[in-house]
Amino acid sequence: MILSILLGLLKFILYLILFILILILIIMLVSIKYDLDLKTDDLFTNPKNIRAKVVVTWLFRILKIKFVYINSKTKLQIYLFGFCINKKRRRKKPKIQEAEITIATEDEVFEQSESQKAEESIEYSEPAEIQEEAKQIKKEKIKAKKEKKEKKIKTPKEKGEGGGFRDIIEKIKYVYYYPDRKKITRNFFNMIKRILNHLKPRHFDLDIILGLDDPATTGNIVGYAAIASGIMHKDVFLKGSFLEKIAIVAVDMKGRIRIGSIFWPAIRFVFSIPMIKVIYKFIKYYFKNKKSEN
């Protein structure tokens, strides 16, 4: 009987671990898709007239988040299996019932006022002994707080030879003159490069109509934008308006983010040989300091 119960518990634990592992794999491998659509009117005349819509979907649109921004007004909707889960329910206004009006006599009013005065006098008439005790308790609390603060403040000898500031400088020097620092910095920048490459949008379309007071500056900006779009290989279209002062922007951006693709470069960086050496030395140094303090 006991063995069957233990086997059942083991099976349940194994199934639970398996379910958690599958869920982690789904979160890591299934990509999150996002879609941004932004449009504006003339920003010089109507700077607040901006319309934006962001749609984020995950796992074959099982989870969908929709955010809308129109003229300083926002709306957030969260869908699960196609049903909105944060929909605000309209509250029914309660019906106003006719209240029964009761007229009190002069004697009743006089009795109520006298009883209220008696209660107030009972509440606020505290003896002098109780007040003195309360003051003493407050003084004791203040003293206890001061003693705790004094205990927390450590002298330079308790912190270590040379104080905390010198320890920090020594650590910075140790990192700067570390033999594998070049490998660590190279691996770090490679990690950031991989993460940024993954985060960049797959589709990016930017349309701008720009007109400034000086037509020459407008022409220069249009020329620089054309060079920049050729270098970035992105659909950036800037149209110059030389007759009027205007600024209209339209953005269409689509992409996907996979959480596993962000974590993998970070894991590779942390578990690289130079970083493992650094972590091991720091742990060793930390435990040595603890032993010396004890």
Side-chain angles (χ1 to χ4, degrees), residues 226-264:
I227 293 158
S229 64
I231 292 161
M232 292 190 294
H233 302 287
K234 298 289 178 187
D235 294 326
V236 179
F237 180 73
L238 180 62
K239 187 183 176 183
S241 179
F242 299 98
L243 299 171
E244 58 179 343
K245 192 180 179 181
I246 193 168
I248 298 167
V249 181
V251 181
D252 185 20
M253 188 168 68
K254 290 174 185 177
R256 58 178 64 187
I257 298 163
R258 194 180 287 113
I259 293 162
S261 299
I262 295 164
F263 273 100
W264 179 243

Side-chain angles (χ1 to χ4, degrees), residues 3 6 86 92 109 146 156 207 233 261 278:
L3 280 167
L6 285 166
N86 67 328
K92 290 181 180 179
V109 170
K146 282 180 179 178
D207 294 327
H233 302 287
S261 299
V278 170

Side-chain angles (χ1 to χ4, degrees), residues 21-37:
L21 286 168
I22 289 160
L23 193 70
I24 289 160
L25 277 168
I26 288 162
I27 290 161
M28 288 289 183
L29 297 173
V30 177
S31 56
I32 300 159
K33 293 178 182 177
Y34 63 89
D35 187 359
L36 170 68
D37 188 14

Side-chain angles (χ1 to χ4, degrees), residues 95-148:
K95 290 180 180 178
I96 299 161
Q97 293 179 353
E98 291 180 358
E100 293 179 357
I101 300 162
T102 56
I103 299 162
T105 59
E106 288 180 1
D107 295 329
E108 285 174 357
V109 170
F110 182 72
E111 284 174 4
Q112 283 176 3
S113 62
E114 279 187 348
S115 63
Q116 281 176 1
K117 283 176 183 177
E119 283 174 3
E120 284 174 1
S121 63
I122 290 157
E123 283 176 1
Y124 292 104
S125 62
E126 288 182 355
E129 290 176 2
I130 293 162
Q131 288 178 1
E132 284 176 5
E133 283 178 6
K135 283 177 182 178
Q136 283 178 359
I137 289 158
K138 279 181 181 178
K139 283 177 182 178
E140 284 173 4
K141 282 181 180 179
I142 291 157
K143 280 181 182 178
K145 281 180 182 178
K146 282 180 179 178
E147 284 174 2
K148 279 182 182 178

